[in-house]
Amino acid sequence: MFSNLSAGALGLTLDHATAIDLAARHGFGGVDPDLEALRALGGADAVAEHAAAVHERGLEWGMGGLPIALDAPAAEFREQLMALPEALTLLRSAGVTRLGTWIRPMHEQLDHRQNWRLHLGRLSLVAEILADHGLRLGLEYIGPKTLWSTERFPFVHSLREMRELIAETGASNLGLILDSYHWYTAGETAEDLAGLTDADIISVDINDARADRERDEQMDLDRRLPYDTGVIDLPGFLGAVRAAGYTGPVKVEPFLAELAERPVDEVLTDIAARLERAVAVG
Amino acid sequence: MFSNLSAGALGLTLDHATAIDLAARHGFGGVDPDLEALRALGGADAVAEHAAAVHERGLEWGMGGLPIALDAPAAEFREQLMALPEALTLLRSAGVTRLGTWIRPMHEQLDHRQNWRLHLGRLSLVAEILADHGLRLGLEYIGPKTLWSTERFPFVHSLREMRELIAETGASNLGLILDSYHWYTAGETAEDLAGLTDADIISVDINDARADRERDEQMDLDRRLPYDTGVIDLPGFLGAVRAAGYTGPVKVEPFLAELAERPVDEVLTDIAARLERAVAVG
Amino acid sequence: MFSNLSAGALGLTLDHATAIDLAARHGFGGVDPDLEALRALGGADAVAEHAAAVHERGLEWGMGGLPIALDAPAAEFREQLMALPEALTLLRSAGVTRLGTWIRPMHEQLDHRQNWRLHLGRLSLVAEILADHGLRLGLEYIGPKTLWSTERFPFVHSLREMRELIAETGASNLGLILDSYHWYTAGETAEDLAGLTDADIISVDINDARADRERDEQMDLDRRLPYDTGVIDLPGFLGAVRAAGYTGPVKVEPFLAELAERPVDEVLTDIAARLERAVAVG
Amino acid sequence: MFSNLSAGALGLTLDHATAIDLAARHGFGGVDPDLEALRALGGADAVAEHAAAVHERGLEWGMGGLPIALDAPAAEFREQLMALPEALTLLRSAGVTRLGTWIRPMHEQLDHRQNWRLHLGRLSLVAEILADHGLRLGLEYIGPKTLWSTERFPFVHSLREMRELIAETGASNLGLILDSYHWYTAGETAEDLAGLTDADIISVDINDARADRERDEQMDLDRRLPYDTGVIDLPGFLGAVRAAGYTGPVKVEPFLAELAERPVDEVLTDIAARLERAVAVG
C-alpha cells in the first residue's frame, strides 16, 4: 500500500497541478486523478503525456470519483450512463484503474430489499461498463448510526452487507473502500476483515474518532486525524489490511474544517507523516 | 369484524372462565383462546364441550399466541417444534383458527438479509405445520422508530416488507396483524392498505398515540386508547379494513398500566364501547 | 378485450398503411403500431394526425415491440438506452400505451439466479423510463420444454416465476403477455390465472397446439390456429382472462409459414372470425 | 486426502465389521461410518471403544449419510428433526465429523426460487443443529442433464449455484461434495474449482464416464470406474482438489452392478489401486 494525497478528502481546494507538485514534494506515494483537469488537457495524447509526467515524479494514481449517481431517478441515471464512456476512456488513457463511490445508508421511501434491488441492478450495469474500460470500482459502506438511523429505512451499513451486495453482482471488478471510521462505528473488529485479499479492496481510508463520544454518538462529518485520540484500533485495522496483501492507496478523510485554515505545507507534512506511520505499520 | 376481548392485551389478569363471562356480559363478539386453560380441561371431548359453551354465549374465538419463538437458537426452535402439534391439535379441537406473533424489528448481530432468511425459513416450516392443523398465522410488524432503531440492524418495520415476507413463504395461511399504532408510527396511510382482502388479515388492533409526541418519538409501550387523542386517523384505518372485507376480531392493546388499577367492569364497559364504535364505523 | 391484427405475428409482411386498411376492412378492433412507420411520418404533428385517422377507422392500438434487448451485453444495452426516449416519445405521441417483449427461457452461462438479477436490474430501469413516457410493458414467458431445456440453465418458463419477477421490480407498469400456447405447454390451468386483474395483463395471444404431440414435445414455432385441434382448453383460458376483466388486444401468433402463401384476404377473414369467437366467448 | 472405502457407493452389501476389516486389509485410509451399527453397540462407551479400535487399524472415518430428507413435507421433516439429536450424538461419540447428502436437481411443482427458499430454510436449521454437535455437512450437486431436465423445474445443478446456496445459509459447517462425474456433466473445468479451500470441501468422489456418449447424454447411474475411459479429466479435477489443500476422504461411486458380482477382494484391490493413484497424483 502507499500513502495517497486526496486534497478533496482533506477539505483542501488545490488545482490539479498544485496537488501533484505538493504530493511529490511531501513524499506521498500517490495522488488522486482529477477528471476535469484531464478533460482540460484536450486529448488522449496530452493525457498520456501528463500521466507519464506524474509517474516520473514517483506518483501513482489514487482513486477517482465515479461520475454517476447509483440512486438517481431512472431518467437521470440514463443521462449519466450516456456520458459515462467518454469519462472512462479519458481516465483509462491516464492509466487510472480505481474509481469509487459510497452507498447511502438509508432511504425515506425504499425499504432495505427495494433499495438492494435498485443498487444491485444499477451496480451490475455500471460494473460491466467499467470492466470494458479496464476500471475497478470501490464501494464504501457508511457506519455511523447517527446517519443510517435518520430516515425511515436503513440500508447497507456494514462490511458483511457490502460484501454480499458485491458478490451478488457477480462482477470481479467491484471491491471495497475500507475506512477505519466506518469499520469502528459499525462495531466491527479485525476478525471481520479476515479472509480479504488485495482483489477485494480498492481503497483504504484511515481516520480516528472523537474521544468524548460513544460509538453510536459519533457523527460522520466530525472525525479526528489518525492516531489522534486512539479511539479507533488503527493497528488492528491496518494489520488486517496488510494481511490481505493490499497494494493500493491509503488516505485520510477527517472532515476537519480547520485543516483548510492552516498553512498547506504544514498540513501536508502532518498528514504525510501519519500516512507513513500507517503504511509502515500496516 | 367483531369486537374481541383480549385480557392480556389490556394488561388484565383474568382466568379464562372469568374472561369468557366478562366478554359475554359486556357484549364483546369474541374472546381470545387460552392454551393453558384448554390443556387443563383434560381432553378433546372436554375441549369441544367447552368451545360449544363459549359459542352458545355468543362468542367467537379471537386469536391465540403462536407457541414458538421464530428467532430462537436452532436447538430451542427444534424443541418447540417437537411440542407444536399437541398444542395445535388442542387449539383446533376448540375451533380456534387464528394464531399470531410479532416480528422483532431489529437485531444486534443479524443484518436485514440474514434475518430475512432466518424468518423466511422458519416461517415456511411453521406455516405448513399450522396448515396441516387448519390454522392461520398472523404476523405483526412493529412501527415505532424508538424501537427498531435500538440495535445494530433494523429489520421488518413496515407493511410492505411484511407483505413481501409473507409472499415469499408461498404459504396461503399466513396473514397480517394490522395495528393502527404500527401503521401510524410506520408513516403509512389508508392507501398502503388498498388492495388487501379478508384473506390477508388475521387480526386488527386499534390504538391511539400520545398527542405530545412526534411520530418518531412515540414509544411502543406508551399508547392511548382508541379515539382518545385523535393523533391516529382511525376512521381512515378502519375504512380501509372494512374495504378489505375483513371478518375477524378487533381488539385494543394500549399498554396502559392504569387500566389494571380501575374496576374491571368499568374498564370493559369503556373498551367495549370504543370497539363498538370502531366495528360500526369500520 | 378486442381482436387485434398483428401482421408480424401472422408471418405476413404488410406495410403499415395496408395493415391498417386490412384491419379496418376485416373488422378487427385494433392493429399493432409500427415504430418505423411512425418515424417516417417526420414529426409529432404528423404522428398525431395519423393516430387520429387510425382511430377514426375504429381501430385501437395493439402492442408495439420493446426496442431494447434486456439481455444484451452492458455496452450494447447502454446504447439502446440512449436511443430509447426518442422511440418512446414517438409512440406516446401516437397514443400507444402497450409495449411487449419475451423473456428467453434459458441461458448457456448464467444460472437461474444470475439471470434473474440481470433481468430484474434491467427491467426496473426500463420500466421506470417507460413509466415516464406513460407506457406499460408486457412480458411473455415461454412454456415449451423443447425450448427451455436446450441450454445449460433453464430460466423463467412459468406464470408464477414471471409474476414474481414483475413483483420484485416494484414497477406498476409491468404486466403479462398471456399466450394460451405457453400456458398449455407450461402445464398450467385456469386456476393459475385466478386473481389476475386487467392491470396485470398487457396482451393476450390465443393459439392451439398439434394433436399428434405430447405436451412436452410441442415446439415453440410449430403451432396451430386457435380452435383447430382443441388440444388447448381455449374456453378455460379465455374464461379466466374475462374473469380478470381484461380490456386489451387479443391476437393470433401461430408460426404457420403456409399463411403467407394464401391470399391475404382469405387469411384475415379466417383469423378475424377466430378472434371474434374468442372475444365473444372470452 | 485419503482413500476411503464406501461399500454402499460401490454397490456392495457388507456388514460394518467386514467393511472395516476389508478397508484395513486393502490399505484404504478410511471407511464410512454406519449409524445402524453404532446404534447396535448399545451405548456411548461401546461406541468410543469401537471407534478407538477402528482408529488403531489405521482408518479414519469417511462420511456418514444425513439422516433427514431436506425436501420432505413439513410434518415429516419435523419428525426427522425430532430424531436428529440422538443420531448426531451417537456419530459424534464415534468421532465422526462429516455427514453428506445430495440435492435433488429438479422438481415437478416448485420452481427454482421456491425450491431455493425451501432448501435454504431447512439447511440453515439443520446446519445449526449439526454445528451444535460438532458435525459438518457436505452437499452434492447433480450434473447430468438427463436427470435435471426430467421434471418441470430444474434446480441446483452446478457448482456455482451450490456455493451460493451454502453462502446464503451463513453456516460455516456446510461444504461441498465434489464428484468428478457431476463436475464433468455440468460442463465445468479446473478453473471453476479455483479458490476453494479445505474448509469448503467435505468429500470427494472420483468416477469416469462412458466413452460412447456425449456429455449431455450421460446418465447419472451409468458411470465408469476412474481412469477407465479417460472421458473425464481426472488429473485436472484432482489437481484443483489438491490445490485447495483438501484433507478428507476420496471415494469411488460408479453405479456398476457388475461389481457386486465379482469377488469382493478382487474388486477392492482394483478400487484401492485407483484411489491410491488419485490420492498420489491429486
Side-chain angles (χ1 to χ4, degrees), chain B residues 108-225:
Chain B
E108 192 59 35
Q109 267 84 41
L110 298 182
D111 63 48
H112 197 288
R113 293 180 73 80
Q114 292 175 310
N115 211 357
W116 186 273
R117 291 181 196 124
L118 177 77
H119 279 83
L120 186 59
R122 302 274 181 94
L123 270 172
S124 298
L125 188 59
V126 167
E128 191 174 335
I129 294 173
L130 263 66
D132 289 345
H133 291 81
L135 286 156
R136 298 166 70 205
L137 177 63
L139 300 173
E140 186 173 29
Y141 66 95
I142 306 296
K145 180 179 177 172
T146 54
L147 192 56
W148 60 250
S149 65
T150 54
E151 297 184 7
R152 181 60 34 192
F153 297 108
F155 189 48
V156 170
H157 56 286
S158 68
L159 177 62
R160 206 211 67 84
E161 289 171 290
M162 188 62 96
R163 293 185 74 181
E164 181 172 340
L165 181 61
I166 291 171
E168 284 210 352
T169 64
S172 58
N173 64 326
L174 291 187
L176 301 158
I177 298 176
L178 292 178
D179 183 328
S180 63
Y181 195 76
H182 298 307
W183 171 78
Y184 156 73
T185 51
E188 292 160 352
T189 68
E191 204 176 314
D192 292 299
L193 301 168
L196 291 176
T197 69
D198 187 36
D200 297 318
I201 311 175
I202 307 294
S203 185
V204 167
D205 291 11
I206 54 169
N207 298 289
D208 212 337
R210 285 180 55 155
D212 56 350
R213 286 184 181 149
E214 294 297 310
R215 197 189 63 184
D216 280 357
E217 293 163 353
Q218 301 283 356
M219 309 292 290
D220 191 38
L221 302 183
D222 189 2
R223 310 175 179 183
R224 290 294 173 267
L225 289 175

Side-chain angles (χ1 to χ4, degrees), chain C residues 29-41:
Chain C
V31 64
D32 277 352
D34 180 330
L35 182 57
E36 288 315 309
L38 294 178
R39 229 175 233 136
L41 290 172

Side-chain angles (χ1 to χ4, degrees), chain A residues 74-210:
Chain A
E76 191 179 317
F77 179 76
R78 183 195 146 276
E79 299 270 350
Q80 295 174 332
L81 267 186
M82 286 176 62
L84 196 56
E86 176 268 344
L88 300 186
T89 301
L90 205 58
L91 290 161
R92 192 54 190 149
S93 300
V96 173
T97 60
R98 298 169 198 262
L99 297 184
T101 193
W102 57 290
I103 301 296
R104 199 165 179 276
M106 70 282 187
H107 202 286
E108 191 58 36
Q109 267 85 41
L110 297 181
D111 62 49
H112 198 287
R113 293 180 74 80
Q114 293 175 310
N115 210 359
W116 187 274
R117 291 180 197 126
L118 177 77
H119 279 83
L120 186 59
R122 303 273 182 97
L123 270 172
S124 298
L125 189 59
V126 166
E128 191 174 336
I129 294 173
L130 262 66
D132 289 344
H133 292 80
L135 286 155
R136 298 166 71 206
L137 177 62
L139 301 174
E140 187 173 28
Y141 66 95
I142 306 297
K145 182 179 177 173
T146 54
L147 191 56
W148 63 249
S149 66
T150 54
E151 296 185 7
R152 181 60 36 192
F153 296 107
F155 188 48
V156 170
H157 57 285
S158 69
L159 177 63
R160 207 211 67 85
E161 290 171 291
M162 188 63 95
R163 292 184 75 180
E164 181 172 341
L165 181 62
I166 290 171
E168 285 210 351
T169 64
S172 58
N173 64 326
L174 291 187
L176 299 160
I177 298 175
L178 293 179
D179 183 328
S180 62
Y181 195 77
H182 297 309
W183 172 78
Y184 157 71
T185 51
E188 292 161 352
T189 67
E191 205 177 312
D192 293 298
L193 301 169
L196 291 176
T197 69
D198 188 36
D200 296 318
I201 311 175
I202 307 292
S203 186
V204 167
D205 292 10
I206 54 169
N207 299 288
D208 212 336
R210 285 179 55 154

Side-chain angles (χ1 to χ4, degrees), chain D residues 235-246:
Chain D
F237 177 78
L238 287 162
V241 168
R242 161 155 294 190
Y246 177 60

Side-chain angles (χ1 to χ4, degrees), chain C residues 51-255:
Chain C
V54 170
H55 194 66
E56 261 170 48
R57 297 200 63 177
L59 295 169
E60 298 195 45
W61 288 123
M63 180 176 69
L66 178 70
I68 195 165
L70 292 170
D71 56 0
E76 191 180 318
F77 180 73
R78 181 194 148 277
E79 298 271 350
Q80 294 174 333
L81 268 186
M82 286 176 62
L84 197 56
E86 176 267 347
L88 300 186
T89 302
L90 205 58
L91 289 161
R92 193 55 191 149
S93 301
V96 174
T97 60
R98 297 168 198 259
L99 297 184
T101 194
W102 58 290
I103 301 296
R104 199 164 177 275
M106 72 282 187
H107 202 285
E108 190 59 34
Q109 267 84 40
L110 299 181
D111 62 48
H112 197 287
R113 293 180 74 80
Q114 293 175 309
N115 210 358
W116 186 273
R117 291 180 195 126
L118 177 79
H119 278 84
L120 187 59
R122 303 273 182 93
L123 269 172
S124 298
L125 188 59
V126 166
E128 191 173 336
I129 295 173
L130 262 66
D132 290 345
H133 292 80
L135 285 156
R136 299 166 71 205
L137 177 63
L139 300 174
E140 187 173 28
Y141 66 95
I142 306 296
K145 182 179 177 174
T146 53
L147 192 56
W148 62 250
S149 66
T150 54
E151 297 184 6
R152 181 58 38 190
F153 296 108
F155 188 49
V156 170
H157 57 285
S158 68
L159 178 62
R160 207 212 68 84
E161 290 172 290
M162 187 63 95
R163 293 185 73 180
E164 181 172 342
L165 181 62
I166 290 171
E168 285 210 351
T169 65
S172 59
N173 64 327
L174 291 188
L176 300 159
I177 299 176
L178 293 178
D179 184 326
S180 61
Y181 195 76
H182 298 308
W183 172 79
Y184 156 72
T185 51
E188 293 160 353
T189 67
E191 205 176 311
D192 292 298
L193 301 168
L196 291 176
T197 69
D198 188 35
D200 297 317
I201 311 175
I202 307 293
S203 186
V204 167
D205 292 10
I206 53 168
N207 298 288
D208 211 336
R210 283 179 57 155
D212 56 349
R213 287 184 180 148
E214 294 298 308
R215 196 188 66 184
D216 281 356
E217 294 163 352
Q218 301 284 355
M219 310 292 291
D220 191 38
L221 302 184
D222 187 3
R223 309 175 179 182
R224 290 294 173 266
L225 289 175
Y227 304 112
D228 249 15
T229 61
V231 168
I232 298 181
D233 172 23
L234 285 174
F237 177 79
L238 287 162
V241 168
R242 160 156 294 188
Y246 177 59
T247 60
V250 183
K251 72 170 189 285
V252 176
E253 191 173 28
F255 294 106

Side-chain angles (χ1 to χ4, degrees), chain B residues 33-80:
Chain B
D34 180 330
L35 181 57
E36 288 315 311
L38 294 177
R39 232 177 232 135
L41 290 172
D45 286 354
V47 166
E49 201 175 316
H50 169 72
V54 171
H55 194 67
E56 260 169 49
R57 298 199 64 177
L59 296 169
E60 299 195 45
W61 288 122
M63 181 175 69
L66 178 70
I68 194 165
L70 292 170
D71 56 0
E76 190 179 318
F77 180 74
R78 181 194 147 278
E79 298 271 349
Q80 295 175 332

